[in-house]
Amino acid sequence: MHVFFRLSFLLGLCLVLAHPLPARAQGGPAAVATERVAMRTMSETISVFGEVVSGRQSAVAARVAGIVTEMPLSVGDRVSEGDVLTRLDTELLEIDRALAQAEIEIAEAGVTVATAQRDRAEKALRRAEALKANSTIAEAQFDERSGDYNSALGAEQQARARILAAETALAQMEYRLKNATIRAPFDAVVLQVGAEKGEYIAAGAEVATLLDLGATEVEANVPARFVSALRPDLVVPARTDAGGALNLALRAILPTEFAATRTRPVRFAITDTSADFAVGQSVTLDVPVSAPRDLVVVPKDALVQGQNGWSVFLNVDGKAQPRNVEIGAAMGGGFEVLSGLQPGDEVVVRGNERLRPGQDIAPSGGAPRGDGGGGSEPGNAAAEAEETPEPETPDAPEDAESASDTEQQG
């Protein structure tokens, strides 16, 4: 028995020596971490789902008919504006162009002949007019000279019209030759190839489908009652389903509304393309639902919940001073302060779980290493917050499942 009691005494002594910190810390200040209450320009936001859509997707068509002689494309290729997509056979078109050029030369020769005939007829008419004035020519002869002149003048005009027709035919041949080479109308990615080498294609047949990545946008259906909060210069952060970040800029609010969901389609331009995305991919946008306003914000870890509501400990001349606060909406790591605090107040964010009013504290920039003055090591306020429900946010939107606030840039 004596041996047993002696062993128990020694074991208890070892346990006391092994944990001397609480006993030694009883008389010293509690080590805590503090932060300043800040004034921030905030805007309440809701998370809405959007989709990456194509601003420009074109099925490039052949403008002329012909047999494909060259098709250098494959699906997935990137092309620049002006790159060759398809070439058509031009042998017959070149023959037709030569024929049109010959027709122009024939028409020009016809104009030369018609002009000479018109000159002769005009001179004969002028002589007849002089003779008629002296009454030395019969009326029938004068009418004949006048008729000849009018016929020559008409023939000349007809010859000139043949030149215009021949020039038009040549322009048509030039158009066909030019468009026998089909080029990319903009920088794009090839989504589909619609023709093969040796294949005959008609005018209007699809050659390739191109997607302009530079014109890609995000379309989101925003609740109609929040559309008035959207500004023309609005920048909205977004996340892809793969975790990539995108920056979006409001481009247009479409003048349509879905009656079933009471939402309106809104288009956003993608201003930051560093993240990998694809047409049809889902993205989540943090869309503001109110105008920016200046708010007093307290860090979340500073809040302690008690029977009378929420409170914080302030550092007042090195002592813990409790203060009841009224809080509002969540503000991304903090909460809006409706009453009880002012900007610049220094609140305890670590080591505040077991502080006593008036207790001496030793603020530091990091997590506390001593106890809170109550005989045990301070816990982590963030961990305790997981067990304590967050305060209600009465100003949150009715249908926003994940309402939050983001700080406005600029």
Side-chain angles (χ1 to χ4, degrees):
M1 290 293 292
H2 293 291
V3 175
F4 174 76
F5 285 117
R6 184 174 298 176
L7 291 174
S8 299
F9 172 76
L10 291 175
L11 179 60
L13 181 60
C14 291
L15 292 174
V16 171
L17 292 176
H19 300 278
L21 290 177
R24 291 204 305 266
Q26 290 290 339
V32 297
T34 61
E35 290 185 20
R36 295 284 182 179
V37 175
M39 177 73 75
R40 298 181 185 176
T41 301
M42 312 290 286
S43 179
E44 189 176 0
T45 64
I46 60 170
S47 294
V48 299
F49 292 104
E51 181 182 354
V52 179
V53 296
S54 172
R56 181 163 59 176
Q57 179 173 321
S58 175
V60 182
R63 296 187 179 184
V64 297
I67 297 176
V68 177
T69 59
E70 184 179 342
M71 189 70 189
L73 296 180
S74 297
V75 173
D77 288 349
R78 290 181 179 267
V79 295
S80 300
E81 181 179 355
D83 286 353
V84 174
L85 302 181
T86 308
R87 293 187 191 274
L88 303 181
D89 179 64
T90 61
E91 183 178 359
L92 181 59
L93 296 177
E94 290 171 352
I95 294 174
D96 289 340
R97 180 175 62 177
L99 179 61
Q101 290 173 336
E103 290 292 337
I104 291 178
E105 295 177 359
I106 294 173
E108 289 175 345
V111 169
T112 301
V113 173
T115 301
Q117 291 175 347
R118 189 259 304 164
D119 289 341
R120 288 195 299 270
E122 184 177 8
K123 292 178 181 179
L125 178 61
R126 297 294 175 262
R127 288 195 298 269
E129 288 176 345
L131 293 175
K132 182 180 180 182
N134 297 326
S135 300
T136 58
I137 187 173
E139 187 69 25
Q141 290 179 326
F142 176 81
D143 292 341
E144 183 179 357
R145 300 292 184 272
S146 178
D148 291 342
Y149 172 75
N150 289 330
S151 297
L153 184 62
E156 182 186 27
Q157 293 174 344
Q158 188 177 34
R160 295 187 183 279
R162 288 196 185 98
I163 291 180
L164 181 59
E167 290 175 344
T168 302
L170 178 61
Q172 188 178 37
M173 293 303 104
E174 296 286 1
Y175 171 86
R176 291 179 179 176
L177 275 170
K178 177 183 176 181
N179 288 283
T181 300
I182 304 168
R183 301 182 181 274
F186 48 81
D187 298 348
V189 175
V190 179
L191 296 184
Q192 184 177 353
V193 175
E196 296 294 339
K197 186 176 181 179
E199 179 182 358
Y200 176 85
I201 59 175
E206 181 180 340
V207 172
T209 301
L210 304 182
L211 173 65
D212 184 358
L213 292 180
T216 305
E217 298 181 329
V218 170
E219 180 173 309
N221 294 327
V222 178
R225 64 179 181 276
F226 299 140
V227 169
S228 60
L230 303 180
R231 308 184 309 277
D233 58 344
L234 179 67
V235 176
V236 175
R239 302 171 302 281
T240 67
D241 50 6
L246 296 174
N247 287 329
L248 310 178
L250 176 65
R251 188 184 67 80
I253 300 173
L254 303 186
T256 57
E257 183 170 328
F258 300 107
T261 58
R262 295 182 180 180
T263 58
R264 293 184 184 178
V266 180
R267 286 291 184 101
F268 296 88
I270 302 176
T271 59
D272 179 9
T273 58
S274 58
D276 186 23
F277 60 89
V279 173
Q281 186 174 13
S282 298
V283 297
T284 303
L285 295 76
D286 295 325
V287 178
V289 296
S290 64
R293 54 195 177 109
D294 293 332
L295 303 174
V296 179
V297 178
V298 62
K300 174 182 176 181
D301 291 340
L303 295 171
V304 178
Q305 189 173 32
Q307 294 181 351
N308 297 325
W310 295 94
S311 64
V312 298
F313 278 101
L314 281 74
N315 176 22
V316 180
D317 298 329
K319 295 185 180 294
Q321 178 67 45
R323 179 80 59 82
N324 291 329
V325 295
E326 183 182 0
I327 60 176
M331 296 292 174
F335 284 89
E336 175 188 5
V337 177
L338 302 179
S339 64
L341 293 174
Q342 297 296 327
D345 287 344
E346 187 178 0
V347 294
V348 179
V349 295
R350 294 290 187 274
N352 53 357
E353 297 84 2
R354 293 176 178 80
L355 286 179
R356 300 187 305 274
Q359 183 178 354
D360 291 335
I361 56 175
S364 64
R369 290 184 295 273
D371 73 347
S376 63
E377 185 178 357
N380 189 324
E384 189 170 354
E386 296 179 359
E387 301 176 0
T388 304
E390 293 187 1
E392 297 180 356
T393 55
D395 295 334
E398 297 177 1
D399 65 344
E401 297 181 358
S402 55
S404 62
D405 290 335
T406 57
E407 188 166 357
Q408 300 299 305
Q409 303 294 327

